[in-house]
Amino acid sequence: MPVAERVLLRPVTMGLLLQSLLLLIILLLLGCCLRPATAFPKGCYPSEEEGLKTFRCSNARLTEIPRDIPNDTNKLYLDSNRIPFLPRDAFRDLPLLLELDLSHNVIASIESGAFRGLAEHLHSLDLSSNRLVSVSKDAFSNLKAKVNLSNNPWLCDCRLQELIRTVELVAGSSGGIVCDSSAQEEHVGKAFLQVIADTDFCNVYKKTTDIAMLVTMFGWFAMVISYLVYYVRQNQEDARRHLEYLKSLPSKQRRSEESSTISTVV
C-alpha cells in the first residue's frame, strides 16, 4: 500500500477505535447505574386506581403469597388463585395496605399472626369462597378491618362463635356463613347467626366439660373409698387370725402378745 494511503487511513482507524472505546465505557456505566425492573409473577401487575396504588394478581394461578409486592401498595388483589394457607407474617412488609382480597382461593388454614402489621390501616379483608372450616380468633387479633367470611365450609362450634364475636363482618355477608357441619345435625345447612340465636355453643361446651369433671372426680372418690374399705377389712382379717394364733400359745406369752395386738389394732 502506498505511503500516502496509509497516512490517510490512520486517522480513520484511530477514530473508529475511539468511538468503540467510548461506546464500551457508556455501556459499562449503564450496567452499573441502572437497576433491572422488578420481575413480578406472571399475571401480576401494578397500577393506580382512584389515586391508590394497586397490585393485581387475580386469576394468576398462584399457589402462595407472591414476594416482591411493592411495599407502598394500598390495594392487593389475590383472588381466584390456588393459595392453600396463609403463613405467619404473610403481609408484614405492606404497612400501607387498605384492602386485601383473598376470595376464591383454596385457603384451609390461617396461622396466628398472618395479618400482623395490618391492624393500623387495613379496613377491608375478603376471605369468602375458600375452604375454611375452623379458624382461631387469635388469627384476627387486633384487626379492625371489616371481614367477609361467607361461602366457606364452616364447622359450627364454640371456636366459630368466638371468631364471629371477635371480627367485624362486612354488611350483608353474615347470611353466607352457613354450618357445613355441626355436633348437632339439625344445625347443618343453617346460617350460623340464626343457630346461635337459640344455641350458645360455648356454654354447651362448658356444661359438658363440667359434667366430665364431676364424673371423673366421682370415679376417683369411689376408688379411694373402695381402697379404704378393702384396707380395713384386710387388717381386721389379719388381726382375727393373729388373735386365734395367740389363743393357741401358752398363757403368759399369749397375754403379752394380745396386749401388743390390741394396741396395734387400736
Side-chain angles (χ1 to χ4, degrees), residues 46-90:
S47 64
E48 189 165 329
E49 299 177 7
E50 300 176 352
L52 296 175
K53 293 187 176 181
T54 304
F55 193 75
R56 288 190 175 273
C57 287
S58 303
N59 200 22
R61 299 184 179 181
L62 298 176
T63 57
E64 63 180 2
I65 305 299
R67 301 177 182 179
D68 299 324
I69 300 174
N71 56 16
D72 59 351
T73 298
N74 303 127
K75 300 169 70 175
L76 177 59
Y77 292 89
L78 299 173
D79 55 300
S80 303
N81 284 290
R82 302 171 185 173
I83 301 172
F85 77 102
L86 301 180
R88 185 187 303 271
D89 294 323

Side-chain angles (χ1 to χ4, degrees), residues 158-225:
C158 180
R159 204 178 192 199
L160 179 58
Q161 183 172 316
E162 289 180 339
L163 173 61
I164 297 300
R165 290 174 176 173
T166 300
V167 302
E168 181 180 358
L169 298 176
V170 172
S173 68
S174 59
I177 303 175
V178 177
C179 299
D180 187 74
S181 58
S182 176
Q184 301 181 34
E185 191 66 27
E186 65 268 20
H187 295 155
V188 176
K190 294 183 179 180
F192 184 68
L193 292 188
Q194 175 187 349
V195 171
I196 60 174
D198 302 318
T199 304
D200 188 340
F201 286 96
C202 296
N203 191 40
V204 169
Y205 175 78
K206 184 176 183 301
K207 286 181 179 178
T208 304
T209 304
D210 291 344
I211 292 172
M213 289 181 63
L214 286 173
V215 170
T216 303
M217 291 175 63
F218 178 79
W220 279 106
F221 182 73
M223 288 176 63
V224 171
I225 295 298

